[in-house]
Amino acid sequence: FERDDFPLPDYSKTLAEIRDEIENGRGVALIKGLDIDKYSPDEIRIMYWGISKHLGTPICHNAHGDILGEVTDRGFDRKNNNVRGYTTKGAQNFHCDPMDVVGLLCIHPAKKGGESRFASSIAIYNHLLEHHPAYLDFLCEGFHYDLRGEGITGERDEVTFNRVPVFSWYEGRMSARYNGKTIIDGMRKAGKSLTDEQIEMVESVRNLAATPEFCYDMIFEKGDLQILSNYNVLHSRNSFEDWPEEHRHRRLLRIWLNVYNGRPLHPDFATRHNTGPRGGIMRKEGAGYWSDEKYYAGKNTPAE
């Protein structure tokens, strides 16, 4: 993609440095300055795709087959069974997405709210090691995660076949995988419901992440591209209020990536969708968003 008023400079070195910062440094990068209003939606998606391909291999992130998908409010309630947070306007607790890296490009911010929040999962590990080592023993045992109806069987109550640890030390690297809701729901669906004490240990991770000691807040502006490592960083989002006009609703473009030459991962830690190590969500022909079939009635055609 190139045209006279937008020549393509050599970004390869800069993007290699960003990839190294995400994988081996702070775990977060923010690219600013893309003039969203200057380009068509297709041109924006092409540019975003090109940048992402410098960083890694895109992976499917829902059963509908989305690879470059939208984060926007679809009117769902996070409390309902199998609803995924990115389809709602509610606040999201601190969590990791299941691939190496997640990228978010802000097409339009909310009228109010929707700020991004980050915390170092490695700093939280070190805090628990010092103050609550028994919590770590439990968290490193691993859990059956709820797949929210998007596992390989297609069953609503499918969970990960293997236990996935929150913290995994493997070949000299510490990596984190955390989503408190899918841990608690997954263990319940597996017939191994957690006790109140165990739930407290699971929730300690996201509670610590939300404290001023660990949390960094960032306003997400139009044209911002946020890229972060899911192994080093927990992320969340404040609830938001949309503009009344539909074309002004908060909308982000999201991509999941497995980075090139990524860190080695223990097989049990790397297998998160029952599709093998670093495998994404399996696309199902004709699938809609499993969170609410009513919304997708008549719309559940395969993704382009």
Side-chain angles (χ1 to χ4, degrees):
F1 170 71
E2 185 169 6
R3 65 189 200 198
D4 292 341
D5 62 335
F6 189 73
L8 286 179
D10 181 8
Y11 288 121
S12 57
K13 181 178 179 181
T14 300
L15 289 170
E17 292 171 347
I18 289 174
R19 186 170 65 243
D20 183 68
E21 181 67 27
I22 294 167
E23 175 67 5
N24 302 309
R26 294 180 178 88
V28 178
L30 176 65
I31 301 174
K32 298 184 68 71
L34 178 60
D35 189 349
I36 294 294
D37 296 326
K38 187 177 180 181
Y39 303 102
S40 71
D42 284 345
E43 289 171 339
I44 292 168
R45 293 173 75 90
I46 290 170
M47 285 188 282
Y48 186 24
W49 182 264
I51 292 171
S52 300
K53 286 289 288 181
H54 277 279
L55 303 174
T57 302
I59 304 296
C60 179
H61 57 229
N62 61 34
H64 192 56
D66 289 343
I67 294 180
L68 185 56
E70 292 190 357
V71 176
T72 192
D73 177 31
R74 303 181 189 278
F76 298 156
D77 186 343
R78 187 74 168 95
K79 296 178 181 179
N80 291 341
N81 186 41
N82 291 347
V83 168
R84 292 180 62 178
Y86 73 91
T87 65
T88 77
K89 63 181 177 181
Q92 293 190 32
N93 288 315
F94 277 94
H95 66 283
C96 307
D97 289 351
M99 293 297 107
D100 293 357
V101 165
V102 57
L104 291 169
L105 174 62
C106 183
I107 302 301
H108 206 290
K111 177 182 179 181
K112 182 180 180 181
E115 299 86 358
S116 294
R117 314 186 79 198
F118 307 108
S120 167
S121 54
I122 307 306
I124 290 171
Y125 173 89
N126 289 334
H127 178 90
L128 292 174
L129 181 64
E130 180 178 357
H131 299 285
H132 299 284
Y135 283 25
L136 275 186
D137 291 340
F138 177 68
L139 295 171
C140 291
E141 290 177 6
F143 305 93
H144 295 287
Y145 280 66
D146 181 14
L147 296 181
R148 296 174 291 199
E150 294 186 313
I152 61 173
T153 69
E155 296 295 328
R156 288 181 174 275
D157 290 342
E158 183 179 346
V159 300
T160 53
F161 298 151
N162 56 291
R163 285 179 173 260
V164 182
V166 173
F167 297 104
S168 174
W169 179 263
Y170 188 68
E171 295 193 12
R173 296 292 299 269
M174 175 62 74
S175 302
R177 166 76 183 112
Y178 178 80
N179 186 315
K181 177 174 172 54
T182 55
I183 288 173
I184 295 168
D185 289 348
M187 294 300 286
R188 173 179 53 79
K189 289 182 176 183
K192 302 175 182 179
S193 295
L194 302 179
T195 66
D196 290 345
E197 182 181 4
Q198 290 170 332
I199 290 174
E200 180 181 344
M201 288 189 275
V202 169
E203 292 184 335
S204 70
V205 176
R206 61 190 184 192
N207 291 338
L208 281 169
T211 64
E213 180 181 358
F214 295 100
C215 182
Y216 177 81
D217 294 325
M218 187 190 77
I219 296 175
F220 210 15
E221 299 179 317
K222 180 185 287 191
D224 284 357
L225 173 54
Q226 180 189 106
I227 309 168
L228 60 87
S229 165
N230 285 306
Y231 304 138
N232 299 351
V233 178
L234 299 167
H235 63 278
S236 72
R237 181 199 73 199
N238 290 336
S239 62
F240 64 88
E241 175 187 348
D242 263 328
W243 298 93
E245 303 89 350
E246 185 174 353
H247 72 278
R248 299 178 73 188
H249 284 186
R250 184 182 190 268
R251 188 161 68 92
L252 314 177
L253 293 181
R254 182 179 71 173
I255 196 164
W256 284 355
L257 301 169
N258 281 333
V259 298
Y260 303 125
N261 301 316
R263 69 181 67 184
L265 300 172
H266 189 282
D268 284 346
F269 179 83
T271 304
R272 307 175 197 121
H273 295 114
N274 296 339
T275 53
R278 283 187 161 97
I281 297 173
M282 182 178 291
R283 173 177 170 169
K284 299 174 182 64
E285 186 174 355
Y289 287 89
W290 292 81
S291 51
D292 190 336
E293 288 83 353
K294 292 181 181 178
Y295 180 86
Y296 274 91
K299 301 181 183 181
N300 57 346
T301 55
E304 295 297 329

